[in-house]
């Protein structure tokens, strides 16, 4: 079998990778010169690094601080030409000490014209973000200065402008971060709320990658034990208990990954924003509510029923959580073709929503919980997402205010309910409080518990991993060889998440959304 063949081949080659005392390991620990044996693991890593260096033989540059006028712009280079680029632009043959800022006058290397006076910093590889030689030029952020420095870099041989995400991609190829950490870095750059920042920073620090790596190592160990049992059980070199231990490990791992998948999409909702929809009958103040929450006239407001025909969408930050809020057409049996299309789109958004803000006219609804619940039920589908009931136009209430207030406070059969006046702003704080509670429940605390799923790509591969582990249980009773293959499939799915197995086909998808210079 596979393990027996591997050991036999290693014995024929005298592969040092199976011997921890082999001089090759001293090389990788930095303790002496030696030539790796062609068949051993360190040599394969060395060959991969050589191939990677060949692939990244050129030097890239880009503005890393964003575009537009600013006080200071940071221009970054990465690659073997970074040292020469600094020397050419500063005219100094000697570079400053690594990671120490130095003030230099920056010139065009072709015309010798002074471009600016700024700070430079030198990051020799591998102790840099990308693992290559890197340099940064901190110059004044005027468009003319930045353009002049970029043109000067472009005139140097071997240098070219970077593609979007290319710095991070080189960092991945040089082992500075795995794919989950790279995705966390991209999310950190795009984060707009505090909760998004916390989640992205946690993922960039490697917590999610370490969780998946632990599962991968557990699978690897179980697979090795199963292979040993298949190959050597007839020689009485492997005990029967090994197989029971593998079975137990697979069951525990299947439960852990399954629980990880059943997290209510918290990480994905936090990353992309909770999609909320405002629904209700016509002319109850849905557009007024949207404008009140975003503090600007995003939607047209009119006393004429049916004014809103299309979906109006805004992005909000509610207590640090991202909310994508949609105003929709009033739900009724419309006769106008355009309004019918608007109502159809409203119902589509309702089916796709993570949260519903149901708006009713406080002056026209029953005051008792049962009647109010029936009115709300006529708007929502049987499997509606979480809901907040907003009773608008509270400023128009007369004698029924007290009864509705009691219903909002004690209506156990109702979703969270509040009185609101979009006209005066009364009840806005309570509505924001309810929104924050619902968002916290949907997204969770990004700093507590185990790290959550943030990408549909993760869910896809983890689902494939769980399916393979479930198939292991079936194959185990029929053929141990097929059962071992299921463990290999599960391990490959985990490896594709972090980029340790079969990553090339997904690299473009991950890095293409990065900004240039990162």
């Amino acid at each position: 079998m596979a393990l027996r063949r591997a050991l036999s081949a290693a014995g024929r080659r005298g592969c040092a990778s199976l011997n921890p005392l082999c001089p090759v390991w001293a090389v990788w620990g930095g303790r002496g010169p030696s030539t790796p044996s062609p068949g051993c693991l360190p040599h394969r890593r060395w060959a991969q690094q050589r191939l990677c260096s060949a692939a990244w033989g050129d030097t890239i540059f880009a503005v890393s601080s964003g575009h537009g006028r600013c006080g200071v712009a940071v221009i970054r280079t990465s690659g073997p030409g970074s040292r020469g680029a600094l020397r050419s632009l500063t005219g100094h043959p000697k570079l400053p000490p690594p990671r120490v800022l130095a003030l230099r006058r920056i010139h065009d290397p072709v015309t010798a014209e002074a471009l600016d006076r700024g700070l430079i910093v030198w990051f020799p590889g591998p102790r840099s973000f990308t693992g290559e030689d890197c340099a940064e030029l901190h110059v004044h952020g005027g468009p003319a200065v930045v353009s002049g420095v970029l043109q000067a870099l472009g005139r140097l041989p071997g240098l070219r402008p970077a593609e979007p995400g290319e710095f991070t991609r080189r960092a991945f190829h040089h082992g500075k971060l795995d794919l989950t950490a790279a995705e966390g870095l991209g999310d950190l750059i795009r984060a707009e709320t505090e909760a998004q920042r916390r989640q992205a920073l946690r993922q960039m620090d490697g917590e999610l990658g370490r969780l998946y790596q632990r599962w991968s190592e557990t699978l690897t160990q179980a697979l090795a034990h199963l292979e040993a049992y298949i190959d050597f059980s007839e020689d009485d070199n492997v005990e029967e208990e090994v197989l029971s231990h593998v079975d137990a490990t697979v069951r525990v791992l299947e439960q852990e990954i399954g629980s990880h998948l059943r997290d209510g999409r918290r990480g994905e909702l936090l990353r992309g924003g909770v999609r909320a929809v405002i629904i209700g009958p016509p002319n109850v103040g849905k557009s007024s509510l949207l404008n009140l929450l975003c503090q600007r006239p995003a939607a047209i407001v009119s006393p004429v029923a049916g004014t809103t025909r299309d979906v109006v969408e805004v992005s909000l930050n509610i207590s640090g959580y991202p909310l994508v809020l949609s105003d929709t057409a009033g739900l009724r049996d419309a006769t106008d073709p355009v309004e019918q299309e608007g109502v159809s789109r409203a119902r589509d958004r309702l089916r796709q929503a993570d949260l519903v803000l149901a708006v009713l006219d406080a002056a026209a609804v029953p005051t008792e919980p049962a009647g109010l619940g029936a009115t709300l039920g006529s708007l929502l589908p049987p499997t509606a997402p979480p809901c907040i009931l907003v009773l608008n136009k509270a400023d128009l209430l007369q004698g029924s205010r007290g009864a509705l207030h009691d219903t909002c406070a004690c209506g156990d059969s109702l979703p969270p309910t509040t009185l609101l006046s979009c006209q005066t702003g009364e009840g806005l704080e309570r509505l924001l409080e309810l929104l924050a509670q619902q968002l916290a429940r949907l997204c969770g605390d990004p700093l507590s518990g185990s790290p959550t799923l943030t990408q549909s790509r993760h869910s896809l591969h983890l689902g494939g991993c769980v399916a393979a582990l479930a198939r292991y249980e079936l194959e185990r009773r029929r053929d141990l060889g097929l059962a071992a293959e299921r463990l290999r499939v599960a391990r490959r799915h985990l490896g594709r998440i972090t980029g340790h197995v079969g990553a090339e086909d997904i690299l473009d998808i991950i890095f293409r959304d990065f900004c240039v210079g990162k």
Side-chain angles (χ1 to χ4, degrees):
M1 297 297 291
L3 184 59
R4 187 186 295 274
R5 288 196 300 269
L7 291 173
S8 176
R12 290 194 300 272
R13 291 194 304 265
C15 178
S17 63
L18 298 176
N19 181 4
L21 301 179
C22 169
V24 171
W25 294 99
V27 174
W28 291 92
R31 291 188 292 273
S34 180
T35 302
S37 171
C40 67
L41 179 61
H43 176 75
R44 290 200 297 273
R45 290 176 180 163
W46 172 80
Q48 290 171 356
Q49 290 182 350
R50 288 294 300 271
L51 288 173
C52 185
S53 298
W56 307 119
D58 50 359
T59 300
I60 57 174
F61 64 89
V63 179
S64 293
S65 54
H67 296 276
R69 289 181 175 85
C70 55
V72 176
V74 179
I75 298 173
R76 169 191 283 178
T77 71
S78 178
S82 295
R83 180 191 297 267
L86 270 188
R87 288 173 172 169
S88 297
L89 266 67
T90 61
H92 279 253
K94 184 178 180 181
L95 297 180
R99 291 167 292 280
V100 175
L101 289 167
L103 182 64
R104 294 285 189 271
R105 188 171 291 277
I106 299 170
H107 299 83
D108 188 310
V110 176
T111 65
E113 177 187 3
L115 301 174
D116 193 17
R117 189 175 64 168
L119 298 172
I120 65 168
V121 59
W122 163 240
F123 300 96
R127 295 181 62 188
S128 67
F129 171 71
T130 64
E132 303 174 320
D133 288 349
C134 292
E136 288 183 2
L137 297 95
H138 297 222
V139 300
H140 294 95
V145 174
V146 173
S147 176
V149 175
L150 291 177
Q151 290 181 30
L153 287 170
R155 295 189 185 104
L156 295 175
L159 271 71
R160 64 168 177 82
E163 298 292 333
E166 191 168 359
F167 285 92
T168 307
R169 186 163 183 166
R170 291 189 177 202
F172 164 74
H173 276 290
H174 286 92
K176 290 294 182 176
L177 70 176
D178 66 14
L179 288 186
T180 60
E183 289 166 333
L185 175 57
D187 290 345
L188 184 63
I189 294 171
R190 291 185 289 269
E192 297 180 350
T193 71
E194 286 296 304
Q196 286 177 321
R197 175 186 60 78
R198 294 184 184 118
Q199 175 173 272
L201 188 60
R202 189 178 181 187
Q203 183 171 334
M204 189 188 73
D205 286 342
E207 286 197 44
L208 195 62
R210 286 192 292 273
L211 175 65
Y212 296 156
Q213 185 62 27
R214 176 174 65 82
W215 288 342
S216 181
E217 290 171 356
T218 301
L219 262 180
T220 301
Q221 185 178 36
L223 179 60
H225 289 170
L226 182 57
E227 290 275 13
Y229 182 86
I230 294 172
D231 287 337
F232 303 118
S233 59
E234 296 178 358
D235 302 333
D236 296 328
N237 293 324
V238 179
E239 299 177 354
E240 285 285 341
E241 288 77 8
V242 168
L243 199 55
S244 300
H245 178 71
V246 171
D247 293 342
T249 299
V250 170
R251 281 194 297 269
V252 170
L253 195 57
E254 183 180 359
Q255 292 172 358
E256 285 188 20
I257 299 177
S259 176
H260 185 64
L261 280 170
R262 294 187 297 271
D263 69 344
R265 297 176 52 243
R266 289 183 301 160
E268 292 183 57
L269 290 177
L270 181 54
R271 177 178 178 266
V274 175
R275 307 196 71 83
V277 60
I278 303 175
I279 65 160
N283 209 25
V284 294
K286 299 185 299 299
S287 298
S288 298
L289 174 58
L290 181 80
N291 292 345
L292 180 65
L293 288 173
C294 69
Q295 296 293 297
R296 61 184 177 88
I300 297 174
V301 175
S302 167
V304 179
T307 300
T308 303
R309 303 294 183 91
D310 208 345
V311 176
V312 180
E313 187 176 276
V314 297
S315 296
L316 301 175
N317 181 345
I318 305 294
S319 298
Y321 292 97
L323 181 70
V324 183
L325 185 61
S326 298
D327 178 29
T328 61
L331 300 181
R332 66 176 177 180
D333 294 329
T335 57
D336 180 77
V338 178
E339 187 178 358
Q340 287 177 346
E341 177 62 24
V343 172
S344 175
R345 294 187 182 190
R347 296 194 185 280
D348 287 341
R349 284 300 177 102
L350 177 57
R351 284 189 289 269
Q352 299 166 7
D354 306 307
L355 178 65
V356 174
L357 273 67
V359 183
L360 296 173
D361 187 340
V365 296
T367 58
E368 72 280 1
L372 190 54
T375 304
L376 176 62
S378 65
L379 297 174
L380 300 176
T383 57
C387 176
I388 297 176
L389 177 56
V390 180
L391 302 178
N392 191 28
K393 303 185 182 182
D395 54 302
L396 301 180
L397 288 175
Q398 300 299 329
S400 60
R401 171 183 286 271
L404 274 178
H405 186 274
D406 292 341
T407 298
C408 293
C410 305
D412 295 335
S413 60
L414 296 172
T417 306
T418 184
L419 286 169
L420 176 71
S421 172
C422 291
Q423 186 71 25
T424 66
E426 174 193 355
L428 177 60
E429 289 187 7
R430 174 57 179 164
L431 174 59
L432 291 175
E433 181 182 331
L434 291 177
L435 274 172
Q437 291 173 2
Q438 290 291 334
L439 292 173
R441 188 181 65 81
L442 288 169
C443 299
D445 184 354
L447 296 181
S448 66
S450 63
T452 57
L453 288 162
T454 60
Q455 306 268 351
S456 58
R457 183 180 73 85
H458 301 171
S459 300
L460 176 67
H461 286 302
L462 287 175
C465 179
V466 169
L469 293 178
R471 289 292 302 275
Y472 165 85
E473 300 286 348
L474 300 175
E475 304 290 2
R476 157 80 169 78
R477 294 188 287 268
R478 294 185 295 183
D479 189 303
L480 289 180
L482 293 177
E485 180 60 28
R486 295 305 170 191
L487 296 188
R488 293 189 196 96
V489 171
R491 183 171 172 270
R492 281 198 293 272
H493 277 294
L494 287 176
R496 289 191 178 102
I497 298 177
T498 59
H500 295 151
V501 178
E504 288 300 325
D505 55 342
I506 58 174
L507 290 184
D508 289 336
I509 299 174
I510 291 175
F511 293 113
R512 70 184 178 193
D513 293 330
F514 275 74
C515 56
V516 175
K518 197 56 185 172

